[in-house]
Amino acid sequence: MDAGKLGFGPDTVIQELGWDEDVDEELRVEVERHTGHNLVDGDHGDDVEGVILWWRDGDGDLTDALVDSLQDLIEGGSVWLLTPKVGRDNYVPGADVVEAAEIAGLSVTTTSAATAEWAATRLTAHKR
């Protein structure tokens, strides 16, 4: 997936949560190249324009993770939830994503293939 398709513009700061050794490094590098900034982690403590959340079945409570992803996100920013594709280890059912998003105050707007192994779901916050 082209980083521009994630809606992140040049000179934006993107927070990455849920990193582990199985993430797609090419996508990470593409986002950094496109935005001109390194991805920041959960300890960043400053506003971010977007969040990438890598999530796998078994990582814990998805609703809690989505609520946490909103902590530093500016109004109008979006969360991209990256989950293993159907048939891959640790796949997360779409119904689970929708339920967790709704409870966290988010709406599912787009789901597409991000990479060969990961699906990307764009989530936006309800108006405050």
Side-chain angles (χ1 to χ4, degrees), residues 1-17 19 23-41 48-54 78-82 113-115 118 120:
M1 172 176 271
D2 180 320
K5 291 181 180 177
L6 295 174
F8 303 145
D11 203 33
T12 56
V13 178
I14 308 304
Q15 187 174 61
E16 177 184 45
L17 304 171
W19 181 92
V23 302
D24 189 283
E25 288 298 326
E26 289 181 24
L27 180 60
R28 296 179 77 249
V29 168
E30 175 66 22
V31 169
E32 290 178 337
R33 186 178 302 124
H34 182 76
T35 63
H37 292 281
N38 290 333
L39 296 169
V40 299
D41 64 19
V48 297
E49 287 83 11
V51 174
I52 293 173
L53 173 60
W54 301 94
S78 58
V79 175
W80 280 93
L81 176 65
L82 287 118
T115 69
W118 294 88

Side-chain angles (χ1 to χ4, degrees), residues 16-97:
E16 177 184 45
L17 304 171
W19 181 92
D20 205 340
E21 292 179 6
D22 63 345
V23 302
D24 189 283
E25 288 298 326
E26 289 181 24
L27 180 60
R28 296 179 77 249
V29 168
E30 175 66 22
V31 169
E32 290 178 337
R33 186 178 302 124
H34 182 76
T35 63
H37 292 281
N38 290 333
L39 296 169
V40 299
D41 64 19
D43 295 330
H44 179 64
D46 210 355
D47 289 343
V48 297
E49 287 83 11
V51 174
I52 293 173
L53 173 60
W54 301 94
W55 195 260
R56 307 139 199 93
D57 185 43
D59 277 354
D61 188 290
L62 179 55
T63 301
D64 289 345
L66 291 173
V67 169
D68 291 347
S69 75
L70 299 173
Q71 186 169 343
D72 298 326
L73 186 66
I74 64 168
E75 188 166 342
S78 58
V79 175
W80 280 93
L81 176 65
L82 287 118
T83 56
K85 286 184 172 178
V86 174
R88 305 299 198 278
D89 287 344
N90 301 311
Y91 163 72
V92 179
D96 292 356
V97 171

